[in-house]
């Protein structure tokens, strides 16, 4: 049996199956480090600021959101966790929500280094 020569997403489309089962999805967030802090931007369109719960616990940022549309009898939820490779100043974390984008700024503790053990890459 010959294997498909096209990418999995294109040959699976020909099977007429729901795309949600096989799609890898898209990134709904952007995470980078600048000026001594991590900046995380998460797309959360359709939620109100009151619908979003943001918590920090020992290096883990937890984002959860839930809203209900009673007219359509629909409920939307979102949940994602982020672990950070450097120590973060717990007291300095700040967040804002505008135009469907949640932005969280997490200042890195002065002198913090990346956690973990380096792994040599053969080439």
């Amino acid at each position: 049996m010959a294997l498909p020569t096209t990418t999995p997403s294109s040959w699976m489309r020909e099977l007429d199956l729901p795309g949600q089962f096989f799609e890898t999805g898209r990134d709904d967030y952007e995470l980078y480090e600048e000026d001594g802090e991590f900046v995380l931007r998460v797309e959360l369109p359709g939620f109100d600021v009151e619908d979003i719960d943001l918590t920090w616990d020992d290096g883990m940022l937890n984002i959860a959101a839930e809203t209900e549309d009673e007219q359509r009898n629909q409920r939307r939820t979102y949940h994602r966790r982020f672990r950070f490779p450097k120590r973060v100043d717990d007291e300095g974390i700040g967040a804002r929500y505008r135009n469907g984008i949640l932005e969280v700024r997490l200042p890195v503790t002065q002198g913090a280094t990346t956690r973990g053990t380096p792994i040599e890459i053969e080439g």
Side-chain angles (χ1 to χ4, degrees):
M1 178 177 165
L3 295 175
T5 57
T6 57
T7 61
S9 61
S10 65
W11 64 263
M12 284 186 192
R13 281 189 208 134
E14 294 173 10
L15 298 175
D16 198 28
L17 295 170
Q20 289 179 323
F21 293 135
F22 300 103
E23 299 265 334
T24 58
R26 63 179 182 86
D27 290 334
D28 57 356
Y29 69 91
E30 178 183 31
L31 176 63
Y32 56 93
E33 187 176 357
E34 76 173 3
D35 299 328
E37 65 183 358
F38 289 108
V39 179
L40 172 66
R41 290 192 177 112
V42 181
E43 297 176 15
L44 293 170
F47 290 97
D48 291 327
V49 70
E50 298 84 20
D51 300 332
I52 303 169
D53 289 320
L54 186 64
T55 58
W56 175 259
D57 183 30
D58 193 31
M60 180 81 70
L61 182 70
N62 187 47
I63 302 171
E66 184 175 336
T67 187
E68 287 191 41
D69 184 345
E70 293 179 10
Q71 292 177 330
R72 294 182 181 174
N73 198 25
Q74 290 181 339
R75 181 182 194 198
R76 292 185 56 225
T77 61
Y78 178 90
H79 187 254
R80 190 177 288 267
R81 290 184 177 166
F82 297 89
R83 181 168 296 281
F84 293 85
K86 294 181 182 178
R87 298 266 182 239
V88 170
D89 176 12
D90 300 0
E91 301 296 319
I93 299 172
R96 74 176 185 190
Y97 182 67
R98 263 191 216 152
N99 299 324
I101 305 291
L102 174 68
E103 181 179 279
V104 185
R105 292 188 169 265
L106 305 103
V108 175
T109 302
Q110 201 72 326
T113 58
T114 304
R115 295 184 217 161
T117 304
I119 300 171
E120 187 175 329
I121 302 171
E122 294 181 24

